[in-house]
Each structure stands twice: as structure tokens, then as C-alpha cells.
Amino acid sequence: MKTIYSIIAAVVAVPLLLGSCASKKAVADGNTSLSGRQTAVSGQSSVQNSSSAVATTAYMHKVADNKVYADNIVGNMSFNLQAKGQNISVPGSLRMRKDEVIRLQLFIPILGTEVGRLEFTPTYVLVIDRMHKEYIKADYSEVDFLKQNGLNFYSLQALFWNQLFLPGERKVSDGALKKFAPALDAAGDAVPVTLSAGNMSFDWNTDRATGRIDEATVNYKSHSHGESTLNWQYSNFKAVGVKQFPAQQVFKFTTTATKTPQTMQVSIRMSDVKTTSKWDAVTEVSSRYKKVEARDVLQRLLRF
């Protein structure tokens, strides 16, 4: 893009340079020369802005078009959690149905018995602790790490599904793509895409050739709630129809909202990625389980 702009600038500069060598008569008619110069500069700016807008729109459409068409993503996984000096690895499964649920199930190694379940729906978050027969069911305003980051179900869904999102919006329409700012002049094979909204900033690292999202970062800063960062990395892309889905996802959450800074990292490595639809999207909690007060979901996970 810079090369094209340089050519345009050079073409416009030629008559200006010739004009500087004009006779005294031409200088006497300075108002006319100035008007022409202003028109040329204005035209240059208009062409630059137009070319930039077209390139930006085209690239953002390329990024958005990477989303998979399937309504269901299902697969067995290896789940690893690192937090508070602990490093826990267990088998599990990931089940997602678009606009309905994101479900992570954790199992006891070898035995395969479910030990815990974390579930996100559009209206609530559900955490089930099978070992202690307890559960949390809360709306998003009651879950600290979601509330402090301004995230809802649809933003979390976009992160799990390797897609763009707008805070507070259900989906990103074609018209809304203009809100994102890709740095097309960045060096290298990656194109950073940024978005700001109040106390939050969003960054996506995308592949220049394909538009694929390889990394997403959400930053939240507040005088009352400190600073929190959620970084999400994607790799090991596998074919799902004609699109690609990241079978490996690593997300790291850091926050200063608590008395002492905390960091948690979760790694999900799916051994297979299927689009099976024969499963129930609603979890029924046994009456034998005790409902406990809504607290930080991340701290509850450490008990699994």
C-alpha cells in the first residue's frame, strides 16, 4: 500500500515542481496556482483514504470468513490447568453448540468418570463439582472474572470458536467490521487487528495470507477493579468442512483485581474435532447436589 501511495504522490508532485520554476507572471497569478495545488493535495488524500478503506474492509471480511459453518463442535481433549503453584492435567471433552452452550467436562484419568463440569449458556454459568456434590449456577454479573472483563456468553463463544467479537453484541455484522482496525502496513506475516471500547482493548493477531486468527488478547483497566488480561492462543488447526478449527487452545488470565496478583493458564488439546449433534445441550443438576454461593469460577475450578 505504501508503494502505491508513493507513486500517487510522485505524480501529483510533478506539476508542483514545474510551477515553482514559472515566470513572475505566474507568481502574480498565485491565487490560481494555490487553488490548483490545494485541489491536487485534496485529491491525493481522497485517493489514499479510499484505497485504505477498501483494503481494510476486504481484509476484515477475509478474517471474518474463516469462521466454521458447523453448529456443533465436539471432541475429546487433554485439559491442563496451571494456577497457584498447581499443575493439573486430566482428560476431558469439549462440547459446543452455537448460541446455546459451551461445555467443558473433566474426567478422572483411566477410570473416565466425570469429576467436574464447566458450562456457559447465554443466560448463566454452571460449575458442577462431582467430588464434593456441589454446584454453582449464576448469571454473568455474579461471576467476578467475567464481570470485571465485560465478557458475556457471546464473547466467550467467539473466543472458543476462533472468531472476532464486539463487546455486548451477539455477533459481528458485515457493517460492524469497519469498527476493527487492521495494521496492514505491519512488517511480517502477521497483521494485528485492534478495537477499543471504554476500559477495554482488544487485539487479534491474524495471518496475512489467510486472515486466520492465531491469537486474541483482551485487556481491561479500571481504577476500582485493577487490570486484567485474557490472552488466547490457537494452533493445530484441523479441517471442519471447508473451514479450519484450532484443536489446541491455550488461554492465560492475569489480574490485579484481587489482593495479590493472580495468574491462571488453561490448555485444551483436542484429539479429534467432530460436528456430532446427538447430545443434550441442557445439564440437569441432581437434587442431591448442594448449591453454593457464586464466587470466582476460577477458584472453584482449582478444587476439581
Side-chain angles (χ1 to χ4, degrees), residues 37-55:
R37 185 158 61 248
Q38 289 175 331
T39 300
V41 173
S42 176
Q44 174 193 1
S45 177
S46 178
V47 171
Q48 289 178 343
N49 290 337
S50 178
S51 299
S52 179
V54 170

Side-chain angles (χ1 to χ4, degrees), residues 1 51-52 54-60 181-188 190-192 208:
M1 294 302 295
S51 299
S52 179
V54 170
T56 295
T57 300
Y59 187 76
M60 291 313 304
L184 295 176
D185 57 350
V191 176
R208 187 182 299 275

Side-chain angles (χ1 to χ4, degrees), residues 33-270:
S33 298
L34 179 60
S35 176
R37 185 158 61 248
Q38 289 175 331
T39 300
V41 173
S42 176
Q44 174 193 1
S45 177
S46 178
V47 171
Q48 289 178 343
N49 290 337
S50 178
S51 299
S52 179
V54 170
T56 295
T57 300
Y59 187 76
M60 291 313 304
H61 275 286
K62 181 162 67 172
V63 174
D65 286 344
N66 276 289
K67 63 184 179 182
V68 298
Y69 297 134
D71 288 330
N72 293 274
I73 293 291
V74 176
N76 295 320
M77 69 172 180
S78 171
F79 178 94
N80 176 262
L81 171 67
Q82 297 178 38
K84 291 187 176 181
Q86 299 187 62
N87 191 329
I88 304 170
S89 292
V90 295
S93 71
L94 175 64
R95 294 176 182 267
M96 302 192 294
R97 182 164 295 163
K98 192 172 294 181
D99 296 335
E100 290 188 44
V101 67
I102 301 166
R103 179 184 298 157
L104 290 89
Q105 295 169 265
L106 308 181
F107 305 136
I108 296 176
I110 302 177
L111 296 178
T113 304
E114 185 180 275
V115 66
R117 180 177 297 202
L118 173 59
E119 191 166 284
F120 300 97
T121 77
T123 55
Y124 61 84
V125 179
L126 176 66
V127 181
I128 299 178
D129 181 346
R130 300 290 190 196
M131 294 184 67
H132 301 89
K133 290 185 169 51
E134 295 178 345
Y135 74 97
I136 295 171
K137 188 173 184 179
D139 63 39
Y140 288 86
S141 65
E142 297 178 85
V143 182
D144 292 344
F145 117 92
L146 297 175
K147 178 182 178 181
Q148 291 164 8
N149 283 273
L151 299 175
N152 59 18
F153 170 79
Y154 298 104
S155 49
L156 283 172
Q157 175 174 260
L159 287 166
F160 273 101
W161 285 72
N162 189 228
Q163 298 174 7
L164 296 168
F165 66 92
L166 287 169
E169 299 294 330
R170 181 167 180 168
K171 63 180 181 177
V172 179
S173 64
D174 288 345
L177 289 174
K178 63 184 178 181
K179 297 181 180 180
F180 298 87
L184 295 176
D185 57 350
D189 297 330
V191 176
V193 175
T194 58
L195 174 74
S196 295
N199 291 333
M200 302 186 72
S201 63
F202 308 85
D203 300 271
W204 292 267
N205 265 347
T206 63
D207 181 81
R208 187 182 299 275
T210 64
R212 185 185 68 195
I213 298 173
D214 292 324
E215 182 179 15
T217 302
V218 180
N219 289 295
Y220 177 84
K221 292 183 179 180
S222 168
H223 292 300
S224 56
H225 293 107
E227 181 174 352
S228 299
T229 300
L230 181 62
N231 176 263
W232 213 289
Q233 298 183 19
Y234 308 93
S235 59
N236 191 21
F237 284 80
K238 295 188 177 183
V240 177
V242 296
K243 302 296 183 178
Q244 298 282 315
F245 183 84
Q248 181 168 326
Q249 302 186 23
V250 178
F251 45 99
K252 184 176 183 179
F253 175 71
T254 59
T255 182
T256 61
T258 52
K259 292 182 179 180
T260 57
Q262 293 188 26
T263 299
M264 182 208 73
Q265 178 175 292
V266 169
S267 299
I268 294 173
R269 294 176 175 83
M270 300 177 70

